[in-house]
Amino acid sequence: MKKQLTNICTILIFAFSLTNALSQTKTLGLTKHFTGSDEDGYVLFTPIASDTTFLINKCGQRIHEWHSKYTPGLSVYLLPNGNLLKTGTYDDTTFGAAGGRGGVIEELDWDSKLIWSYVIFNDSLCQHHDIRPMPNGNIMVMTWHSISKLQAISLGRSPLNFGNSQTDLWGERLIELKPRGKDSADIVWQWDLFDHLVQDLDSTKANYGNVGNNPGLMDINYALNKKTRDWIHMNGIDYNPKLDQIVMSCHNISEIWIIDHSTTKAQAISHTGGKYGKGGDLLYRWGNPIAYKQGGLSDRKLFKQHNPNWIKGGLKDSGSIMVFNNGWDRDSFYSTVEVIPTPVNINGSYNNSLPYGPSKSSWIYKDSIPTNFFALIISGAQRLPNGNTLICSGPQGRFFEVTPNQKTVWEYINPTVGDFIQQDGQTPNNNAVFRCEYYPNTYSAFKNKNLSHKGTIELNSYIYSCIFEKTPPKIKTLFPAKNDQNVNLNNPLKVVFDETVLAKTGSLKIFQNNAVFQSYSIPNNLIKINKDTVTIIHNPFKSNSRISVKIDPYSFRDSSDNLSATLDSSQWYFYTSSSQPVVEQLMPATLDINVALNTELKIIFKNKVYKNNTGKIDIWENSLFKERILIGSNGVTINNNLVSITPTLSFKPNATIVVEVEACFIDSNGIQNQPLAFGDWYFKTVTTPKPITLSPLQNATNIKTNTSISIVFDRTIYQGQIGNLMVFENNLLIDSIEVSGPRANILGNSVTFDLNNPLKNASRIALTLQEKTLKDSFNTFNAAIDSSNWHFTTEKKLNSMYPQIKSSQKKTTIWPLTIIHNYKVTSEVEIKTIEVFDINGKAIPIRINKGSNDMELYFEILNGSPGYYLAIINGNDSNLITLE
């Protein structure tokens, strides 16, 4: 939109089918926009599993994007100089596929050029989740710090707080980097959790004590899930330059912590020093006082939260901390966004009466139907300059803005799935975003940058309107121009406005020699609108005629619903030529599909034509220039009124081909043909054979070792060139099946492959089909199927991977109440504890409901997959159960 956005903004979201005008509802991109939304800024986000970062305006339009070779790991920031500071997911073995793993930090300029890159991962350290740019140009980085099991035990960790296969323990280390060069940095400050522990297990160790008397330390034996390497699982940090303090979110503790950043490196290791005299000990903690023995279950306020951030000065509730309270472990499944007025003193210290205050949040957002707003993981929230709050519900890729009284005034749904863009109208899925960030339009990063929009991100977006202004669209250019001479008899008419327009309701008339020649009701399928250009298709005019056009004021409108002015026939008129070669047919015709890759192009004129002295024919493929054929070459031949054009290069499958033709041909009077401009003649080539079913399915589990391998395509297929299906078992090539050989059976639209040997149990099987091994009836070859897009896991045999539990006698019985999740436990003795493990010995979350007495209870496995599980009652009585 050409006008500056104002504060008053109303969204009219609607869409219609071009064929039946049935209304549609937007499902992707901008889906809500009402008065009260903050329009004076932009939203930055990087979809998970995508290498692209997007900047959009509040009208849901793409303003800019950056590309990196890494998917996010996980946060991203726009720096004041216009560069992008981005985390990336680096290949790693030590830290595996842990949630939130990153490992690399990049700085990219506005044009995605790499300015600086720094890797943080080795055997003991790995950047994860979040970083934070500092006012001094440094970068605060959150990392996992891995120590061995023996080291952890030496620090007082109980051996019982390790899983069966656990060999190490991950703590957290903050590192402040000062970038240097293109790929280096100096560590100018750091803080490590392992320097600030307390334990009451072993009095012979130096850090022995009671955490209830030492709340500035972390009890090494406390966690909501003790038997995990990722013990704390920090997921967000923020820095307060006024206080020189850092706040951290500790997911597995359900607390936020604040520490002093004014310390030296040595003081950060100790318990004294720094501006607040406590060294690297915690200045403040909040959310779960059970963690420091100062409360019970009813005192817990946070539930595996994300994104703590200080609300900036000048904004509503400035100085307080906003946090996204995910709601994991809450009594029911719902999330909240909360503002915590920390008990900070004038000097920046905290009122340390225990448990730490406040007793409740000062502002809480939750949906009117709480369970309608639930994000189990990731997510974040940010206070905006207008007092509203921008919320990212991460798993759903949903960004929305709410007022202080909790009214939703703006909503956007991320339309990307990895690097794939969904079409509007599709149901959003797999479109998660870690966080989104708002930047006002006064932010220095935008100075001297082109911030014009480039349309929506979502494909085929339904028509919608952002109402910001009241200036009607004005006509900028007419084709043909007023009083033009020798106008071609067939050329479409064009009106170019000074902004994007939409069809309204009205009429348009064309006059030929002062008589009505053609009349249109608007909207009309003979009137095409592409942004600011209206193209009018008409019947051929007569030669030597005066043509005039009248457009009434209700015909076109801009996105603010302002109507264009009347265009009178005295304002737009022109004269047709005496004669001109007329094109009767194009082959392939415009809008044709499934055109052969080696097709010959033909133009059929009404009368005989000849080659002009000069001229060229340009061919474009997917908007990229492909080939130029000069009129004097052998690639153009003429037989009477038939022109044949033979490209030297075959077309690609699935391509849009556009042909431009200059004034290459003349009639017997020497009059040139009207050129075919870009967009006048285009068609689509055939598509590649597309797999519609892979068997076994992608990411399937528990597959039989003697399974058959097959692919079903969307059409009949035949043997193509020589090629193979390659089978990998745990990353080792175990079989290569030639598609033209006896172990590949092609029948109709499917191909089945026979394996030499059965697969191994509990193995990851990946398959790769080489390209061009199969083809369809158009001789169009298949694209390759990569092993990253086709892999599955074979069934596991029940083995000794369960926790080793010895029971002196059987005292409990478990049986399913349903075939889904629910189990009943009865016992001869009081049931005090129950734990459930999967076949790998990993603890599984459960929900417990007490029975009618202490020797009876019910439990439900949460998010469990079908298979075998082990239930441990009172720490020593084991029962094998099956989840179907």
Side-chain angles (χ1 to χ4, degrees), residues 70-71 343 394 402 449:
Y70 299 108
T71 56
V402 298
K449 297 295 191 300

Side-chain angles (χ1 to χ4, degrees), residues 354-542:
L354 301 179
Y356 290 101
S359 60
K360 62 180 181 180
S361 302
S362 61
W363 182 83
I364 299 177
Y365 168 80
K366 66 178 178 180
D367 197 275
S368 57
I369 303 175
T371 53
N372 283 352
F373 171 43
F374 178 59
L376 182 68
I377 56 174
I378 53 180
S379 310
Q382 177 188 2
R383 181 56 50 82
L384 301 182
N386 68 347
N388 293 352
T389 300
L390 177 65
I391 300 171
C392 170
S393 188
Q396 301 85 24
R398 176 186 175 223
F399 318 147
F400 62 105
E401 180 181 342
V402 298
T403 63
N405 62 1
Q406 312 204 12
K407 177 184 177 183
T408 300
V409 292
W410 184 84
E411 181 183 66
Y412 182 90
I413 307 296
N414 167 38
T416 68
V417 179
D419 290 325
F420 174 74
I421 307 295
Q422 292 183 291
Q423 296 190 78
D424 206 357
Q426 289 183 271
T427 300
N429 60 75
N430 297 322
N431 60 336
V433 176
F434 177 61
R435 255 189 351 234
C436 65
E437 196 83 15
Y438 174 90
Y439 294 91
N441 58 15
T442 55
Y443 189 47
S444 61
F446 302 133
K447 186 177 181 180
N448 299 324
K449 297 295 191 300
N450 180 5
L451 300 176
S452 59
H453 76 79
K454 303 172 181 63
T456 61
I457 299 175
E458 68 274 13
L459 300 178
N460 298 330
S461 178
Y462 295 148
I463 296 174
Y464 67 91
S465 160
C466 284
I467 296 178
F468 303 116
E469 44 74 30
K470 298 185 180 299
T471 303
K474 296 180 178 61
I475 294 175
K476 188 166 66 174
T477 312
L478 297 170
F479 293 101
K482 179 181 177 180
N483 205 30
D484 257 6
Q485 308 292 317
N486 294 318
V487 172
N488 186 276
L489 308 179
N490 296 283
N491 274 10
L493 310 181
K494 294 185 179 181
V495 182
V496 181
F497 288 90
D498 63 347
E499 62 175 309
T500 296
V501 294
L502 303 167
K504 185 69 172 174
T505 56
S507 63
L508 182 151
K509 290 181 180 179
I510 300 176
F511 300 86
Q512 183 171 265
N513 298 324
N514 296 320
V516 175
F517 173 74
Q518 207 161 343
S519 183
Y520 306 80
S521 295
I522 299 174
N524 192 293
N525 59 9
L526 294 177
I527 298 177
K528 311 294 184 183
I529 301 176
N530 183 12
K531 298 181 180 177
D532 61 350
T533 302
V534 176
T535 302
I536 306 163
I537 310 299
H538 58 84
N539 296 328
F541 299 133
K542 291 180 180 180

Side-chain angles (χ1 to χ4, degrees), residues 488 490 580-590 592 599-612 615-619 629-631 635-647 658-666 672-677 680-683:
N488 186 276
N490 296 283
Q580 195 170 31
V582 175
V583 175
E584 287 197 325
Q585 188 176 359
L586 298 171
M587 300 172 61
T590 292
D592 262 5
T599 192
E600 188 175 56
L601 309 178
K602 297 180 185 295
I603 305 174
I604 301 176
F605 286 91
K606 184 175 182 180
N607 299 306
K608 185 175 181 178
V609 294
Y610 306 86
K611 287 188 178 182
N612 201 356
K616 62 182 183 294
I617 299 162
D618 286 343
I619 301 175
I629 304 173
L630 298 178
I631 186 62
V636 183
T637 59
I638 300 178
N639 183 7
N640 198 0
N641 64 332
L642 172 63
V643 175
S644 298
I645 305 165
T646 306
V658 179
V659 185
E660 286 185 282
V661 181
E662 287 188 346
C664 299
F665 311 102
I666 57 175
Q672 299 175 346
N673 68 288
Q674 177 69 22
L676 294 174
D680 290 341
W681 186 12
Y682 60 93
F683 50 87

Side-chain angles (χ1 to χ4, degrees), residues 588 594-601 621 626-627 647-657 683-689 772 776 778-781:
N594 288 328
V595 174
L597 306 183
N598 57 353
T599 192
E600 188 175 56
L601 309 178
E621 187 175 71
K626 182 176 182 68
E627 183 176 358
T648 59
L649 303 173
S650 295
F651 300 133
K652 294 179 181 178
N654 309 334
T656 298
I657 307 300
F683 50 87
K684 293 201 67 147
T685 58
V686 294
T687 60
T688 56
K772 298 186 178 181
D776 63 12
F778 289 98
N779 287 324
T780 308
F781 293 107

Side-chain angles (χ1 to χ4, degrees), residues 201-276:
L201 186 70
D202 187 344
S203 61
T204 66
K205 292 182 170 63
N207 56 353
Y208 179 77
N210 185 334
V211 71
N213 300 324
N214 299 276
L217 304 175
M218 179 61 204
D219 184 352
I220 194 174
N221 288 305
Y222 178 82
L224 296 170
N225 180 9
K226 296 180 181 178
K227 296 183 179 181
T228 176
R229 296 191 301 172
D230 192 3
W231 165 46
I232 302 295
H233 194 82
M234 283 187 182
N235 55 31
I237 53 175
D238 192 22
Y239 174 68
N240 188 321
K242 180 179 178 180
L243 301 176
D244 203 5
Q245 295 174 6
I246 299 168
V247 63
M248 301 167 274
S249 169
C250 304
H251 177 272
N252 285 354
I253 312 298
S254 283
E255 280 193 309
I256 59 171
W257 297 345
I258 294 178
I259 61 171
D260 186 359
H261 174 257
S262 72
T263 56
T264 64
K265 285 184 179 180
Q267 290 170 335
I269 297 173
S270 73
H271 309 292
T272 59
K275 180 179 179 180
Y276 302 101

